[in-house]
């Protein structure tokens, strides 16, 4: 399943414009609140120059990149967790996502209405984060009541652990702290994961600026967002949704010239995906042969059998070994045969930790 990222923010901050640009979708992007009613979902390929470079030497019949799925919901307003502006309905659409991109308006434009009447990124961030926490508090409270009933008279250690985890999360949310602030061990984490809490997901703040401020490297509003994000242990990225929309309409050869004129080397989509991968601790490995060159997404620190399991569970169950070399070795030596001659072609066992950029061929027996 594709990595799924939810896009949130107040109305008219540039969410749907950004979504349209990165997915070439058709989300309506009008100048009034609640323009987006149903969630917009777009699946895009993950840009990875290494995939293109590998095909130059392997010459496959087909190339399959990894994908990422973006879910754009309607703008959230104060009171959304209580149903204001159909908020609860909207928030439900992103419960299953892996991470959240929180678009923050860092531009001033009298022609684009701001739902709060003025541009204030920190206030806007507080509104969204409060609504997400209130929605989670409601979820945790309902879960707590159910688990308390189960725990009465039960001697099951798992039920008692679930109760403890739920109580701690419920208490944190009641104190105005996100669910991710509750430290859980490996045994406890699955109980929190099962709740699909919005504030347990990692957040990337996307500062949406004007094209002028983007070319200048940002503005004071961006600096304020960066400071707040740092305090939260979250990350930021500066984008210009309007510029991304223009780039999406250009032919590939025209994009390079346009990006250069804006002091950029790549579209915001590339940076957005790269930051999303870093946020979730993800890496990419490749399989390469005459039939197909393909990119696969794994968690950083995955063992060879776990990486094999991404292709098929049978590969992990019956794992014997992985024949491995790094893509940079292929780029340097120009062919797999040359990699072997140079002694760079390795046979790795079950304890091998796959590196980002590895090219693997699995041996298994089921």
């Amino acid at each position: 399943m594709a990595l799924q990222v939810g896009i949130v923010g107040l109305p008219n901050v540039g969410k749907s414009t950004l979504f349209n640009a990165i997915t070439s979708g058709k989300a309506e992007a009008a100048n009034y609140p609640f323009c987006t009613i149903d969630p917009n979902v777009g699946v895009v390929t993950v840009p990875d120059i290494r995939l293109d470079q590998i095909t130059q030497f392997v010459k496959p019949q087909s190339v399959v990149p990894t994908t990422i799925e973006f879910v754009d919901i309607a703008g959230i307003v104060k009171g959304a967790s209580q149903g204001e502006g159909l908020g609860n309905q909207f928030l439900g659409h992103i419960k299953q996502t892996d991470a959240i991109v929180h678009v923050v308006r860092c531009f001033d434009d009298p022609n684009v209405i701001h739902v709060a009447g003025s541009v204030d990124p920190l206030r806007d961030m507080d509104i969204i984060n409060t609504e997400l926490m209130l929605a989670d508090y409601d979820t945790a409270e309902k879960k707590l009541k159910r688990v308390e009933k189960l725990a009465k008279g039960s001697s099951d250690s798992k039920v008692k652990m679930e109760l403890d985890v739920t109580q701690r999360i419920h208490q944190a949310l009641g104190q105005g702290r996100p669910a991710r602030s509750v430290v859980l061990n490996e045994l406890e984490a699955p109980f929190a994961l099962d709740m699909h809490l919005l504030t347990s997901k990692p957040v990337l703040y996307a500062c949406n600026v004007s094209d002028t401020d983007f070319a200048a490297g940002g503005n004071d509003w961006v600096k304020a967002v960066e400071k707040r994000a740092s305090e939260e242990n979250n990350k930021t990225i500066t984008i210009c949704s309007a510029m991304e929309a223009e780039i999406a309409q250009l032919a590939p050869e025209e994009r390079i010239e346009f990006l250069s004129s804006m002091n950029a080397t790549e579209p915001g989509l590339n940076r957005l995906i790269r930051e999303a991968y870093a946020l979730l601790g993800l890496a990419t490995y490749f399989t390469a042969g005459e039939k197909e060159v393909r990119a696969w997404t794994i968690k950083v620190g995955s063992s060879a059998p776990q990486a094999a399991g991404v292709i098929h569970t049978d590969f992990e169950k019956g794992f014997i070994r992985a024949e491995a070399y790094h893509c940079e070795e292929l780029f340097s030596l120009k062919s797999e045969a040359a990699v072997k001659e140079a002694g760079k072609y390795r046979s790795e066992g079950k304890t091998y930790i796959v590196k980002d950029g590895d090219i693997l061929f699995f041996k298994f027996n089921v």
Side-chain angles (χ1 to χ4, degrees), residues 38 41 54-55 65 67 82 143 145-146 172 208 248 265 267 301 304 317 337 341-342:
D38 296 319
V41 180
I54 291 170
T55 62
T67 59
Q82 305 304 314
K143 176 71 177 288
K145 288 178 182 177
R146 290 198 301 271
N208 189 17
T265 57
K317 291 175 184 175
E341 287 175 14

Side-chain angles (χ1 to χ4, degrees), residues 137-295:
Y137 183 80
D138 184 55
T139 299
E141 193 159 40
K142 290 175 182 175
K143 176 71 177 288
L144 184 59
K145 288 178 182 177
R146 290 198 301 271
V147 180
E148 282 175 336
K149 287 181 181 179
L150 286 174
K152 281 183 179 178
S154 174
S155 58
D156 190 328
S157 60
K158 287 186 177 179
V159 173
K160 292 186 181 299
M161 184 181 292
E162 185 174 17
L163 176 61
D164 178 61
V165 169
T166 307
Q167 287 174 332
R168 285 154 60 194
I169 290 174
H170 181 262
Q171 182 180 35
L173 292 164
Q175 294 171 346
R177 294 185 290 118
R180 74 179 75 87
S181 68
V182 179
V183 179
L184 303 172
N185 62 36
E186 288 185 11
L187 294 175
E188 295 169 330
F191 295 113
L193 191 64
D194 186 55
M195 295 170 74
H196 300 291
L197 298 172
L198 297 167
T199 62
S200 67
K201 306 178 192 302
V203 176
L204 174 63
Y205 290 106
C207 302
N208 189 17
V209 301
S210 67
D211 55 359
T212 302
D213 284 338
F214 182 85
N219 55 36
D220 288 341
W221 285 323
V222 171
K223 291 176 183 176
V225 174
E226 289 174 341
K227 184 175 183 295
R228 173 69 65 82
S230 177
E231 292 167 355
E232 298 175 356
N233 290 319
N234 285 318
K235 295 189 175 184
T236 63
I237 183 174
T238 302
I239 58 161
C240 174
S241 289
M243 187 180 83
E244 294 298 326
E246 284 187 58
I247 293 171
Q249 302 301 316
L250 296 175
E253 60 274 10
E254 295 176 315
R255 291 181 185 181
I256 297 173
E257 185 178 343
F258 182 86
L259 287 166
S260 178
S261 70
M262 298 301 296
N263 292 333
T265 57
E266 59 183 349
L269 168 63
N270 296 30
R271 293 183 294 114
L272 190 65
I273 291 177
R274 194 160 54 242
E275 289 294 344
Y277 265 56
L279 199 64
L280 291 165
L282 300 176
T284 301
Y285 79 87
F286 305 95
T287 50
E290 291 182 0
K291 287 188 177 180
E292 178 184 89
V293 167
R294 184 165 185 157

Side-chain angles (χ1 to χ4, degrees), residues 9 27 88 94 104 107 110 124 129 159 175 199 212 302 309 333-334 354:
N88 258 335
I94 57 170
V104 185
F107 68 90
D124 296 352
N129 290 333
V159 173
Q175 294 171 346
T199 62
T212 302
S302 294
L333 298 168
K334 312 302 182 187
V354 177

